Amino acid sequence: MQFKGTADYVADKDLMVAVNAAIALERPLLVKGEPGTGKTELARQVAAALGLQIIEWNVKSTTKAQQGLYEYDAVSRLRDSQLGDPRVNDVNNYIRKGKLWQAFAATEKCVLLIDEIDKADIEFPNDLLQELDRMEFHVYETGELVKARIRPIVIITSNNEKELPDAFLRRCFFHYIRFPDAETLARIVEVHYPGIKQALLQAALTQFYDIRETAGLRKKPSTSEVLDWIRLLVADEVDPADLRGDVKNALPRLHGALLKNEQDVHLFERLAFLARRER
């Protein structure tokens, strides 16, 4: 079972090695990188390439590790007991299976995506150590042991918003997705917009990297944002010559796709103003 990329996802050699190493070791693959570099999409493409079902657990700031295992609805059971509902005699009626339980119970190998694990409380990764290591957990209300029939491929993403515990990191195979260079980014754009004019592509990418390297920029635009921007450039039939000027001389065309806060917009407005004064 080897991941070799897909027609819809440009994966470099190091990334493919990381995915296949995690599969061979049967360890979770922890993928970090800037937002918008394709971490979540990687899990979907691994599933598509290997012909596997994907189970996605999207972590939020309020998410608890227990929710990935199961949740026991004691309130509903109490209410039903007061109403004389016969369902109350079977505790299983009040247990909702979480994403880990679904992955463990799968009859065929699957991909389990735990997306943006760093959004949750710092204890969240620690609370999943044993379950991800042993691929089993107990349901205390029923005494049942839930054990993975077939070990899933676990892919965990992080935007590096907070440090993850060392004990958790030891149990993972790690890969950092670096921001793509111009050649790789051109390939990514061509996957999404086949047949794009090369003159427009090169002019857009040149200006895009100039924007990313501008000193003082608070939020560098990501891969997903440059894809949106180029889509707008293509739709508006922008002349490549209009993109070849110095980014410090004017706000970029359709800059709302790239600059996502007022401080960065004001930065380019100031640079353009200073450039005009110097002429």
Side-chain angles (χ1 to χ4, degrees), residues 132-184:
L132 290 176
D133 197 25
R134 297 180 181 177
M135 288 288 158
E136 65 182 32
F137 64 89
H138 280 91
V139 182
Y140 296 104
E141 289 76 8
T142 65
E144 178 184 3
L145 174 65
V146 177
K147 188 177 179 67
R149 300 180 185 181
I150 303 171
R151 197 176 185 98
I153 298 170
V154 181
I155 297 178
I156 303 170
T157 72
S158 168
N159 287 329
N160 230 6
E161 291 183 7
K162 61 170 67 83
E163 288 296 322
L164 299 174
D166 289 343
F168 181 80
L169 295 175
R170 284 198 301 271
R171 288 166 168 82
C172 298
F173 191 92
F174 173 76
H175 182 76
Y176 183 85
I177 298 182
R178 293 180 177 84
F179 194 84
D181 57 25
E183 181 181 347
T184 303

Side-chain angles (χ1 to χ4, degrees), residues 27 35 66 132 143 145 169 173 178 187 208 239 241 262 269:
R27 294 276 191 180
Q66 181 64 32
L132 290 176
L145 174 65
L169 295 175
F173 191 92
R178 293 180 177 84
R187 289 167 54 204
F208 172 72
D239 188 334
E262 64 276 15
E269 288 175 340

Side-chain angles (χ1 to χ4, degrees), residues 11 15 35 77-78 90 126 137 156 164-165 183 200 206 235 254:
L15 179 55
R77 193 180 189 195
L78 175 61
D90 186 357
N126 280 331
F137 64 89
I156 303 170
L164 299 174
E183 181 181 347
L200 176 60
T206 297
L254 301 166

Side-chain angles (χ1 to χ4, degrees), residues 212-262:
R212 273 186 59 90
E213 293 167 7
T214 300
L217 196 65
R218 292 193 62 181
K219 182 190 178 303
K220 294 183 178 182
S222 67
T223 307
S224 60
E225 288 160 343
V226 73
L227 290 174
D228 288 344
W229 183 55
I230 290 178
R231 179 181 178 183
L232 292 173
L233 296 179
V234 172
D236 284 7
E237 299 181 346
V238 172
D239 188 334
D242 293 340
L243 301 174
R244 294 194 180 111
D246 187 340
V247 296
K248 295 181 180 179
N249 291 332
L251 271 172
R253 293 286 297 272
L254 301 166
H255 63 270
L258 298 175
L259 306 177
K260 296 303 177 72
N261 60 62
E262 64 276 15

Side-chain angles (χ1 to χ4, degrees), residues 20-233:
N20 293 322
I23 293 173
L25 291 171
E26 295 188 325
R27 294 276 191 180
L29 173 63
L30 174 61
V31 184
K32 290 187 178 182
E34 289 183 32
T37 49
K39 300 184 296 298
T40 302
E41 188 61 23
L42 170 66
R44 296 169 182 157
Q45 293 300 323
V46 169
L50 302 180
L52 304 177
Q53 174 194 8
I54 183 168
I55 297 173
E56 299 189 25
W57 184 13
N58 299 302
V59 177
K60 301 178 181 179
S61 60
T62 56
T63 302
K64 302 300 181 185
Q66 181 64 32
Q67 293 171 309
L69 308 180
Y70 68 93
E71 291 183 276
Y72 170 54
D73 192 350
V75 174
S76 292
R77 193 180 189 195
L78 175 61
R79 182 192 62 227
D80 289 348
S81 69
Q82 293 169 339
L83 297 174
D85 192 323
R87 295 174 67 251
V88 76
N89 296 317
D90 186 357
V91 69
N92 288 294
N93 291 324
Y94 304 94
I95 290 178
R96 290 195 292 270
K97 297 179 180 179
K99 299 297 185 180
L100 265 72
W101 190 333
Q102 294 173 31
F104 290 2
T107 56
E108 297 181 348
K109 199 172 190 68
C110 65
V111 174
L112 172 62
L113 167 64
I114 304 176
D115 199 23
E116 297 188 331
I117 194 172
D118 54 325
K119 278 188 176 181
D121 184 84
I122 188 62
E123 291 303 319
F124 180 91
N126 280 331
D127 291 342
L128 290 177
L129 285 179
Q130 298 301 322
E131 289 78 8
L132 290 176
D133 197 25
R134 297 180 181 177
M135 288 288 158
E136 65 182 32
F137 64 89
H138 280 91
V139 182
Y140 296 104
E141 289 76 8
T142 65
E144 178 184 3
L145 174 65
V146 177
K147 188 177 179 67
R149 300 180 185 181
I150 303 171
R151 197 176 185 98
I153 298 170
V154 181
I155 297 178
I156 303 170
T157 72
S158 168
N159 287 329
N160 230 6
E161 291 183 7
K162 61 170 67 83
E163 288 296 322
L164 299 174
D166 289 343
F168 181 80
L169 295 175
R170 284 198 301 271
R171 288 166 168 82
C172 298
F173 191 92
F174 173 76
H175 182 76
Y176 183 85
I177 298 182
R178 293 180 177 84
F179 194 84
D181 57 25
E183 181 181 347
T184 303
L185 188 54
R187 289 167 54 204
I188 293 172
V189 172
E190 287 169 346
V191 165
H192 287 80
Y193 308 115
I196 185 173
K197 295 178 181 177
Q198 288 300 304
L200 176 60
L201 175 59
Q202 295 305 319
L205 292 186
T206 297
Q207 186 173 72
F208 172 72
Y209 279 100
D210 286 345
I211 292 170
R212 273 186 59 90
E213 293 167 7
T214 300
L217 196 65
R218 292 193 62 181
K219 182 190 178 303
K220 294 183 178 182
S222 67
T223 307
S224 60
E225 288 160 343
V226 73
L227 290 174
D228 288 344
W229 183 55
I230 290 178
R231 179 181 178 183
L232 292 173
L233 296 179

